[in-house]
């Protein structure tokens, strides 16, 4: 069953119950009230008749007929009964027929009125029953009164004044009222039905929309937005779903970007590999097609082929390195080690290369034997890449200086050079894989374009950061932080 059907049914059930209870309650109380009013009226009528008869005693048949007419005008039946039960006046029966009437002593209303006796509370009795005299259902009110002398039986004065009313007179308006209440209840119920359906729709609509959106999402449409129209739990659910969709969209964007980067990387790798392989192939072919005969040319070609194989080797080494870092296969082993000793060894390694290039490589040894925490071999690789770059991109006669600054809980290692520098537009990209400012120059210098990417990975794996400042033509300054 749909949620709005359920809601509507629930509302209907509740309101149906309320309407039914209200109808039954009002019907019964209206009936009670109506009967009470009728009784009151009959009681009043009885008193009126009593006082008329007391004032104008019934002394002949014309006064009998007068009372008959009076009762007919008042729309009531009037009966005067003596204590022995004899009927002395019956407004519905002519004087001449009166003697045919049964004795009324045992009529329930008469019995009741007589039983209660005189005194503070005048006796009265009521009854709703079938009238043997008129053969219809009647409502009776009998009132016991002080003896009212009546001409036809002076020995037995009337002691009961009884007012009768055909039940149909009472029930007619009541039935009408009842019908009115039933019609009003049905109308009310219909209105409530309509309202219940509307309200249920209104409540269930956001849920329905959400369901539709969820189905679209399942079908792969992530552009859907769930309309949020309320601030209640349903609205909050809608907002939550919307932010989940946003999150999903963002994740998909990230995945696409990663995918693009992956294929770009693959393209770059193929390209980088192809260049030296083509070169080697070309040289070997040239040698075979005759150059072998000339020892001078052969030597030159073989040397160049060797350089290219070395280049290939370096490239593959860097590729293996970077893939191990990126797949998380590279295990770091962190230890405290003496930084001064470490930097001295790096400088020693580059001594010849710097000399050869005519560049002064400077490092002022530290007096303090302070230690840093890290993987010494990985950091050596990072330092090697940085110093190697500094030497590669600094012309002869220049200078490369390694320095250390100690901070609280960390230290900054810097590699400054007086080289060609890097233009500002390249600064943010040189740590990307295969990014080079000048491809030819990098290649000539034996670069792979992966060096700085590897350095960045290693430093970040140590929880540090790497940054660069540079002025084209004046030199560059690379710094990274380490925990001490
Ligand atoms: P490469 O193998 O080409 O040197 P790197 O990742 O080490 O690759 O460096 C990326 C690029 O950054 C280099 O191609 C070069 O253009 C620039 N670069 C790196 N270090 C320096 C430096 N010290 N001075 C000038 N340019 C540099």
């Amino acid at each position: 069953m749909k949620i709005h059907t359920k809601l509507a049914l629930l509302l209907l059930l509740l309101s149906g119950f309320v309407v039914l209870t209200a109808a039954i309650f009002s019907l019964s109380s209206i009936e009670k009230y109506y009967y009470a009013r009728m009784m009151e009226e009959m009681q009043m009528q009885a008193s009126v008749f009593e006082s008329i008869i007391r004032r104008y005693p019934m002394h002949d048949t014309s006064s009998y007929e007068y009372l008959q007419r009076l009762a007919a005008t008042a729309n009531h039946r009037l009966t005067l009964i003596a204590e022995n039960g004899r009927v002395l006046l019956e407004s519905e029966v002519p004087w001449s027929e009166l003697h045919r009437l049964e004795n009324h002593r045992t009529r329930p209303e008469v019995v009741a009125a007589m039983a209660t006796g005189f005194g503070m509370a005048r006796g009265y009795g009521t009854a709703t029953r079938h009238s043997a005299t008129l053969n219809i259902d009647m409502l009776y009110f009998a009132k016991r009164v002080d003896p009212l002398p009546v001409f036809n039986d002076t020995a037995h004065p009337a002691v009961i004044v009884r007012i009768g009313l055909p039940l149909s007179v009472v029930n007619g308006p009541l039935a009408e009222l009842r019908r009115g209440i039933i019609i009003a209840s049905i109308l009310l119920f219909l209105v409530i039905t309509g309202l219940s359906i509307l309200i249920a729709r209104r409540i269930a609509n956001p849920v329905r929309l959400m369901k539709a959106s969820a189905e679209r999402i399942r079908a792969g449409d992530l552009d859907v937005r769930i309309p949020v129209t309320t601030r209640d739990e349903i609205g909050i659910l809608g907002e939550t779903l919307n932010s989940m969709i946003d999150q999903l969209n963002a994740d998909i964007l990230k995945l696409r970007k990663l995918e693009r980067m992956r294929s770009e990387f693959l393209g770059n790798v193929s390209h980088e590999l192809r260049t030296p392989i083509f070169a080697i192939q070309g040289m070997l072919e040239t040698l075979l097609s005759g150059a072998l005969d000339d020892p001078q040319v052969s030597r030159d070609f073989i040397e160049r082929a060797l350089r290219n194989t070395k280049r290939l080797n370096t490239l593959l080494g860097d590729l293996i390195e970077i893939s191990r870092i990126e797949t998380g296969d590279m295990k770091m082993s962190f230890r405290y080690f003496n930084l001064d000793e470490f930097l001295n060894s790096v400088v020693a390694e580059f001594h010849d290369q710097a000399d050869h290039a005519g560049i002064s490589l400077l490092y002022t040894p530290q007096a303090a034997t302070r230690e840093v925490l890290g993987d010494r071999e990985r950091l050596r690789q990072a330092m090697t890449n940085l110093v190697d770059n500094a030497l590669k991109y600094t012309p002869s006669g220049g200078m490369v200086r390694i320095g250390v600054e100690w901070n609280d809980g960390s230290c900054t290692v810097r590699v400054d050079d007086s080289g060609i520098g890097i233009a500002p537009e390249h600064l943010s990209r040189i740590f990307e894989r295969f990014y080079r400012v000048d491809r030819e120059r990098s290649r000539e210098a034996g670069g792979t374009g992966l060096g700085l990417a590897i350095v960045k990975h290693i430093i970040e794996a140590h929880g540090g950061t790497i940054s660069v400042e540079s002025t084209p033509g004046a030199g560059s300054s690379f710094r990274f932080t380490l925990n001490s």
Side-chain angles (χ1 to χ4, degrees), residues 28-43:
S28 83
S29 54
I30 280 174
E31 235 162 73
K32 257 187 223 147
Y33 172 77
Y34 195 74
Y35 272 104
R37 284 300 315 272
M38 280 315 192
M39 285 301 170
E40 250 170 48
E41 199 187 314
M42 286 196 293
Q43 185 172 12

Side-chain angles (χ1 to χ4, degrees), residues 389 392-393 417 422 430 435-437 442 447-449 451-452 476:
N389 275 351
K392 267 192 315 200
Y393 300 108
D417 65 54
I422 304 159
I430 54 169
Y435 190 85
R436 292 129 150 168
V437 175
S442 157
T448 60
L452 285 181
S476 312

